[in-house]
Amino acid sequence: QTSIMGRMHAPGHGISRSAAPYVRSAPGWLKNLYTADDVKDQIYKLARKGLTPSKIGVRLRDAKGIASVKSLTGNKILRILKSKGLAPSLPEDLYHLIKKAVSVRKHLEKNRQDQDSKFRLILIESRVHRLARYYKKNGVLPGNWRYESSTASTLVS
């Protein structure tokens, strides 16, 4: 039996997930509707509007019926954006963790006695540091990148 990675600050093991279809190629009706270049152009247009890669995927799925960009184009959304130079500077998961930490810190400025929020902020920032270490190791972030709570609000604004 394979071991399942647990959550960092919760007791659960996170086994609930959606399953990708067994057939990895796009359905025939979808190939007739859109070419790879059409999909890439739509991705570029949405990225220029300021949408994140996951929001682009949701928009393509809900509005155009494109469930898997990779099955049509051969590449994932983030790789398509990187090839065009439109990828966000911070990885999306790190960006959202920093955004959460900034909002908790803002809450703590108004409510200094909120002990639970102080504790949760420590947990959030430890996840930020762990994720940053991973991205530095894999070359996604520069080696001299540091998370500092004083400058974090400028990163997510």
Side-chain angles (χ1 to χ4, degrees):
Q1 182 181 1
T2 61
S3 64
I4 298 168
M5 182 192 292
R7 297 182 56 79
M8 193 170 163
H9 299 305
H13 289 286
I15 199 165
S16 174
R17 61 180 53 92
S18 61
Y22 180 72
V23 179
R24 291 215 164 92
S25 60
W29 62 268
L30 194 60
K31 288 180 188 172
N32 293 337
L33 278 177
Y34 304 108
T35 64
D37 292 331
D38 293 340
V39 176
K40 285 180 183 179
D41 290 338
Q42 289 174 358
I43 291 172
Y44 300 147
K45 190 166 57 172
L46 292 171
R48 287 191 187 99
K49 283 185 182 176
L51 269 67
T52 60
S54 63
K55 287 220 167 46
I56 291 171
V58 168
R59 180 78 58 93
L60 289 175
R61 184 197 67 202
D62 294 346
K64 307 288 184 186
I66 301 169
S68 170
V69 170
K70 187 177 178 185
S71 65
L72 273 176
T73 61
N75 276 323
K76 297 179 181 181
I77 294 174
L78 189 61
R79 286 194 180 150
I80 293 169
L81 291 176
K82 276 183 183 173
S83 69
K84 194 75 169 179
L86 294 170
S89 56
L90 272 180
E92 205 172 342
D93 49 357
L94 183 61
Y95 172 84
H96 286 294
L97 274 177
I98 292 172
K99 191 173 176 182
K100 185 185 280 193
V102 167
S103 71
V104 171
R105 196 169 284 280
K106 187 178 172 187
H107 166 78
L108 276 173
E109 285 173 10
K110 284 184 262 180
N111 307 287
R112 291 208 177 273
Q113 71 282 4
D114 190 350
Q115 295 297 315
D116 187 58
S117 289
K118 283 182 187 175
F119 176 69
R120 298 295 162 200
L121 179 65
I122 292 168
L123 298 185
I124 292 166
E125 288 186 339
S126 69
R127 284 197 298 259
V128 168
H129 291 300
R130 177 186 278 198
L131 204 53
R133 190 171 62 233
Y134 167 79
Y135 282 131
K136 280 193 239 180
K137 188 174 75 174
N138 290 335
V140 177
L141 287 175
N144 60 357
W145 189 90
R146 285 187 61 79
Y147 169 78
E148 291 165 1
S149 57
S150 56
T151 60
S153 59
T154 58
L155 287 173
V156 295
S157 61

